Amino acid sequence: MERQKLVVIGAGMASGRALEHLLEASPGAYDITLFNAEPRGTYNRILLSPVLSGEKTFDEIVTHDETWYATSGIACRFGEKVLGIDRDRKTVTGEKGEVSYDKLLIATGSTPVIIPLPGHDLNGVIAYRDLEDTETMAELAKKPGARVVVIGGGLLGLEAAAGMAAHGADVTVVHLMGHLMERQLDEAAGYLLRKALTDRGIKVLCSANSKEILGQDGHVRALLLDDGTELPCDLLVMAVGIRPGTALAKEAGLAVGRGIHVDDQMITSDPDILAVGECVEHDGAIFGLVAPLYDQAKVVAKTLLGDDAAYVQREVSTKLKVTGCDLFSAGDFADGEGREDIVFRDPARGVYKRLVIEGDRLIGAVMYGDTGDSGWFFNLIQSGEDIGEMRDTLIFGPAYQGGAAVDPMAAVAALPPEAEICGCNGICKGQIVDAIAGGATDLGAVRVVTKASGSCGTCTGLVEQVLAVTLGDAYQAPAAQPVCGCTDLTHEDVRRLIKAQELKSQPAVWQELGWKTPNGCHVCRPAVNYYLLADWPLDYADDPQSRFVNERNHANIQKDGTFSVMPRMWGGITTPDELRAIADAADKYQVPTVKVTGGQRIDLLGVKKEDLPAIWYDLNRAGMVSGHAYSKGLRTVKTCVGTDHCRFGTQDSTGLGIKLEKTLWGSWTPHKVKLAVSGCPRNCAEATCKDVGIVCVDSGYEVGVAGAAGMDVKETEFLAKAEREEEAIALTVAFIQLYRENAKYLDRPYKWVAKVGLDWVKAQVVDDLDTRAALVERFEISQSVYRKDPWAEHAKPDTAVRFQPMADLTLEAAE
């Protein structure tokens, strides 16, 4: 019997999940053709925010790539738009021709709303909907001083704003309503959210009405509000909502309201056409969250196979995917007759909880700051359980029911099978328990089988609790994360064993520590290379092939394939001769951009790879060496002018900065390291947010450590006070060496100090003078090998050749 033909329009999350269910149940039921306007397969669109903020890569959010579709036997027409549907002939016409169908599944998703303000069509005005938007935003955010205005203070707008701010952009959120996320949060929770975002440097304007988008030379330059305020911007992001994608369905004559009308079986007004996802309207409702889309996907798959199924709308909850902003909202929390509130407020901790009760039922919950019990409250809302007997202690969560604190695991054990655990994927406790019964006995296996905790990950703890209560004594709590799939050992184990077993080469590590792969991988090789280099500087030879591309090339690769070259300027000091050399190099090698950096150096941007050895040679001749702007090592020591020129300078901050830089340069560290020396507490060198920051005072030098001003912003912690300059240098060197010898690869100093504790660091570096001296001595031993200029070495003819482009073999063949 000839198989039926199924055509799917759209490769979004809903259709991806529907095809998964369909193929699992009956892989041979249909010949499937899929159209997707985007030139790629399916990805988890709700995780674009972590991609924008840099917490995830795009590859990590892909759910169904080309390989999956190919192995599933689905004919894919990626990057091809559908032009029309002919219901009489039962064909779909794409840009490259038509395909006939027996069943058609429309999954056209939604389109972002663009407010038709004057100027909305200027360059630089975008929506936040797909990967292209995300890449545009991320690229602009990297530019120093980038200014962004986001219109819309809802979920999407705030995630966009937080993502751009994480890259360092100057971000302003403009919201029409009186508080943020007014559809999900009450005013009090909205205030806390606004405060948290403001603390991150994001400006928030509520009750602000946009009037016009102003442009210059065809590009956006500002947003004008109706009160006359102008907000300058290089990019304007509209995140004001989505609209179901119904154009194709309308043209085909299907019944369409706000979305494509579907019945409980997800069938449209044409019995051979089904629809799923954000494009549909079911019983008067349209959908923008993922949980109902996945419920619909299950129903669609069963309907396509002729099985009984019916879609039933259910309560949904909302979480904001901004790191550090914990909020939860579910149900109905509007004021109304017969409704009562229970409110818990702890301003000092930034915790706010509000429960809305009608009769003896919980109908709504809003939480900010502490959302650990949100799943339990959400299940009370969904189940409609009588909460009369626990009303007095309800706000304190499941651990306090019954009048006294109980085992928190008991609350998880008491959850019914239909209790939702993973909101992103619509996974209930019963599905996880079934997966465990089927052999999925750890978190990774449960993720593979059910997808629970595989998206935003906020339910991971809950999934682990379900594992624990289901398996009992057989449950083994997850161990610390291994370095990568090549080994079961953690970074800490590897460091310890390299020292204990005196392993002094990579093959020794692979062999003695039982590596699963013959030569490691791109994840473990750089880490092991660093550990060997840090522990055995005189015995181990650095392996360039185990380094990232920038470290191999001793220059930063830019997005167009060219490189940036940054000579070192000791303590930010330069001379007319050095400036002439830099200018001559810029002219000679046609450098398109010369940039003064925030680290008091000059960056030559746009250098061709084949020109790198020559430009290094020229700069070397002028006495300049590599600034290591690409390295997991010392980058800069920023200084102010100190006593030489400043009226307030208490010490020679410039001189101290130069001494520190000449002591530490060339050293390899687990991650990049930046220092600063301020000549007085006015802190012009911004020493209080560096990995090591020294503030000069009348009585000496205050040394702070573990600051940060990148993805995280953190003030330094006071390490010690030194009376003399030599002591300040020794404290700094000892701290860096302690960090080199103990930190996990790619942990910045502030993360490492948070793990080991500042008290332990002080005990080694400050209190124990012998240990401090030993650390300084070991650092100097390492520097006897690595305090050298890589430019000078790689500008030599025998090594410079590897920077030349490959020969033009086609030309040689023609000759």
Side-chain angles (χ1 to χ4, degrees):
M1 179 180 174
E2 187 177 350
R3 292 198 295 183
Q4 291 197 84
K5 290 173 285 189
L6 171 65
V7 172
V8 181
I9 304 175
M13 297 168 67
S15 65
R17 184 58 66 90
L19 288 170
E20 222 173 80
H21 290 310
L22 180 65
L23 294 172
E24 284 172 2
S26 182
Y30 286 96
D31 280 330
I32 304 172
T33 301
L34 178 141
F35 287 89
N36 192 30
E38 288 190 52
R40 59 184 67 87
T42 307
Y43 57 92
N44 192 334
R45 199 180 296 274
I46 63 174
L47 293 181
L48 283 175
S49 300
V51 172
L52 175 62
S53 65
E55 297 169 58
K56 285 183 181 287
T57 65
F58 176 70
D59 288 343
E60 290 177 301
I61 69 169
V62 173
T63 57
H64 305 78
D65 58 13
E66 290 187 35
T67 303
W68 184 87
Y69 281 109
T71 55
S72 301
I74 297 172
C76 290
R77 297 173 69 159
F78 292 149
E80 182 178 355
K81 292 181 181 176
V82 170
L83 304 177
I85 301 167
D86 187 331
R87 291 168 54 197
D88 295 330
R89 294 174 57 234
K90 299 184 76 168
T91 59
V92 170
T93 303
E95 292 172 317
K96 297 178 182 175
E98 69 176 27
V99 180
S100 61
Y101 66 84
D102 297 302
K103 296 289 182 183
L104 171 63
L105 175 61
I106 300 176
T108 45
S110 58
T111 54
V113 173
I114 296 292
I115 308 170
L117 290 171
H120 71 277
D121 51 353
L122 288 166
N123 289 329
V125 178
I126 65 170
Y128 181 29
R129 184 61 186 157
D130 55 25
L131 178 63
E132 279 69 27
D133 296 331
T134 306
E135 290 177 337
T136 299
M137 293 159 68
E139 280 303 311
L140 183 116
K142 291 176 184 174
K143 295 181 180 177
R147 297 166 301 182
V148 181
V149 168
V150 178
I151 300 180
L155 268 178
L156 201 60
L158 298 184
E159 290 176 5
M164 299 287 281
H167 286 291
D170 179 351
V171 181
T172 302
V173 175
V174 175
H175 193 49
L176 180 63
M177 307 306 290
H179 68 271
L180 298 172
M181 293 181 65
E182 78 285 349
R183 293 175 63 187
Q184 292 89 13
L185 302 182
D186 62 14
E187 193 170 349
Y191 165 80
L192 289 172
L193 176 59
R194 178 175 179 169
K195 183 172 181 297
L197 294 171
T198 303
D199 289 344
R200 290 163 175 250
I202 299 172
K203 302 181 190 74
V204 178
L205 302 178
C206 289
S207 303
N209 193 17
S210 303
K211 181 179 181 182
E212 184 179 356
I213 301 170
L214 306 177
Q216 184 172 3
D217 300 328
H219 196 280
V220 62
R221 71 165 179 83
L223 175 68
L224 177 65
L225 304 182
D226 63 0
D227 65 358
T229 303
E230 261 190 40
L231 302 172
C233 60
D234 306 298
L235 180 74
L236 189 142
V237 181
M238 280 203 194
V240 291
I242 55 175
R243 181 178 291 130
T246 59
L248 276 174
K250 274 184 184 174
E251 291 172 6
L254 296 174
V256 172
R258 290 193 295 160
I260 304 168
H261 285 170
V262 293
D263 61 14
D264 292 348
Q265 283 68 47
M266 308 307 295
I267 298 173
T268 68
S269 54
D270 183 325
D272 291 322
I273 301 179
L274 296 84
V276 66
E278 292 178 344
C279 62
V280 308
E281 178 181 339
H282 174 267
D283 199 16
I286 57 176
F287 309 89
L289 298 175
V290 70
L293 270 57
Y294 284 165
D295 287 345
Q296 294 170 10
K298 294 175 189 171
V299 175
V300 159
K302 289 193 173 184
T303 303
L304 285 169
L305 294 172
D307 297 335
D308 292 335
Y311 172 63
V312 178
Q313 294 179 32
R314 57 189 176 113
E315 291 282 356
V316 294
S317 61
T318 300
K319 290 181 179 177
L320 183 67
K321 292 170 184 62
V322 173
T323 303
C325 292
D326 295 325
L327 70 81
F328 168 83
S329 170
D332 185 353
F333 52 91
D335 293 332
E337 189 174 347
R339 293 182 175 182
E340 299 173 276
D341 292 337
I342 300 176
V343 176
F344 175 89
R345 198 188 302 271
D346 185 346
R349 291 194 301 136
V351 174
Y352 171 82
K353 299 180 183 180
R354 177 182 172 214
L355 305 178
V356 182
I357 294 170
E358 192 169 54
D360 285 326
R361 302 281 185 274
L362 179 66
I363 64 167
V366 184
M367 300 177 187
Y368 186 91
D370 177 5
T371 59
D373 296 328
S374 58
W376 184 74
F377 286 113
F378 186 41
N379 283 310
L380 287 180
I381 294 172
Q382 288 182 307
S383 67
E385 182 181 337
D386 189 329
I387 51 90
E389 292 188 359
M390 55 180 166
R391 179 178 174 128
D392 291 347
T393 56
L394 183 67
I395 194 74
F396 301 110
Y400 289 88
Q401 303 316 310
V406 298
D407 179 3
M409 300 300 287
V412 177
L415 289 175
E418 61 273 15
E420 185 180 86
I421 301 297
C422 174
C424 291
N425 291 291
I427 306 301
C428 298
K429 177 186 172 184
Q431 294 170 275
I432 296 174
V433 171
D434 290 344
I436 295 169
T441 56
D442 59 37
L443 179 64
V446 169
R447 275 184 187 151
V448 170
V449 176
T450 69
K451 300 187 186 304
S453 99
S455 294
C456 74
T458 54
C459 65
T460 298
L462 202 52
V463 174
E464 289 177 339
Q465 289 179 358
V466 175
L467 274 160
V469 298
T470 306
L471 293 172
D473 292 340
Y475 174 67
Q476 292 183 338
Q481 288 295 311
V483 175
C484 64
C486 299
T487 178
D488 294 329
L489 297 171
T490 65
H491 281 270
E492 291 74 12
D493 288 336
V494 173
R495 294 220 73 168
R496 177 175 54 79
L497 292 169
I498 284 175
K499 292 174 187 172
Q501 300 185 18
E502 298 192 4
L503 307 177
K504 298 184 179 180
S505 68
Q506 290 191 21
V509 172
W510 314 144
Q511 181 66 28
E512 299 296 331
L513 302 187
W515 235 248
K516 299 174 185 175
T517 52
N519 298 301
C521 68
H522 69 287
V523 175
C524 62
R525 283 177 68 98
V528 170
N529 182 56
Y530 169 74
Y531 297 150
L532 291 166
L533 175 154
D535 290 339
W536 313 110
L538 301 181
D539 301 303
Y540 175 74
D542 181 36
D543 175 21
Q545 295 309 311
S546 295
R547 292 196 172 279
F548 295 120
V549 59
N550 289 341
E551 291 183 338
R552 281 202 305 275
N553 289 316
H554 297 281
N556 265 324
I557 191 168
Q558 306 299 319
K559 67 177 184 179
D560 61 354
T562 63
F563 289 80
S564 66
V565 171
M566 192 182 299
R568 191 170 288 281
M569 288 184 177
W570 309 101
I573 290 292
T574 187
T575 66
D577 285 342
E578 288 183 348
L579 292 175
R580 285 190 196 94
I582 291 172
D584 289 345
D587 280 342
K588 182 176 180 181
Y589 299 99
Q590 299 180 327
V591 174
T593 304
V594 180
K595 173 79 174 64
V596 177
T597 73
Q600 298 181 333
R601 302 195 285 196
I602 294 176
D603 195 1
L604 300 166
L605 293 146
V607 180
K608 297 173 187 172
K609 184 177 180 182
E610 58 266 32
D611 286 340
L612 287 174
I615 195 170
W616 295 341
Y617 178 78
D618 287 357
L619 292 170
N620 269 169
R621 289 184 65 190
M624 309 183 80
V625 299
S626 169
H628 287 81
Y630 46 82
S631 72
K632 304 288 183 285
L634 177 76
R635 297 287 181 90
T636 59
V637 181
K638 193 172 181 178
T639 65
C640 66
V641 295
T643 49
D644 282 354
H645 301 281
C646 179
R647 290 179 295 140
F648 306 107
T650 62
Q651 309 284 350
D652 179 14
S653 55
T654 307
L656 176 55
I658 292 172
K659 289 173 184 173
L660 282 168
E661 189 160 0
K662 291 198 171 182
T663 300
L664 297 168
W665 82 289
S667 59
W668 297 104
T669 48
H671 210 302
K672 63 184 177 184
V673 170
K674 295 181 179 180
L675 279 67
V677 184
S678 289
C680 77
R682 287 168 182 79
N683 198 22
C684 291
E686 300 167 335
T688 51
C689 61
K690 300 297 184 187
D691 298 303
V692 179
I694 298 178
V695 177
C696 302
V697 294
D698 287 330
S699 55
Y701 308 85
E702 293 180 349
V703 182
V705 297
M711 296 291 282
D712 295 315
V713 179
K714 180 179 174 298
E715 187 179 358
T716 51
E717 298 181 60
F718 179 72
L719 179 71
K721 184 171 180 179
E723 294 183 1
R724 295 175 292 105
E725 193 176 73
E726 293 76 12
E727 186 183 2
I729 294 174
L731 285 165
T732 301
V733 171
F735 172 78
I736 295 294
Q737 181 63 13
L738 194 68
Y739 166 61
R740 295 180 76 239
E741 292 181 355
N742 292 278
K744 170 184 158 186
Y745 188 65
L746 297 185
D747 261 358
R748 290 287 299 272
Y750 74 97
K751 290 186 175 178
W752 168 67
V753 171
K755 290 178 182 176
V756 302
L758 186 63
D759 289 343
W760 180 80
V761 173
K762 285 182 175 179
Q764 311 297 310
V765 174
V766 182
D767 302 335
D768 188 334
L769 296 181
D770 291 340
T771 300
R772 184 198 303 177
L775 287 165
V776 172
E777 182 180 356
R778 291 199 292 275
F779 181 79
E780 281 301 323
I781 291 172
S782 176
Q783 288 296 78
S784 68
V785 178
Y786 291 108
R787 190 186 285 139
K788 60 185 179 184
D789 179 30
W791 285 0
E793 186 174 343
H794 289 82
K796 295 174 183 173
D798 56 337
T799 52
V801 68
R802 77 178 179 88
F803 292 90
Q804 296 304 309
M806 293 181 66
D808 188 345
L809 300 178
T810 57
L811 180 60
E812 288 188 9
E815 288 173 349

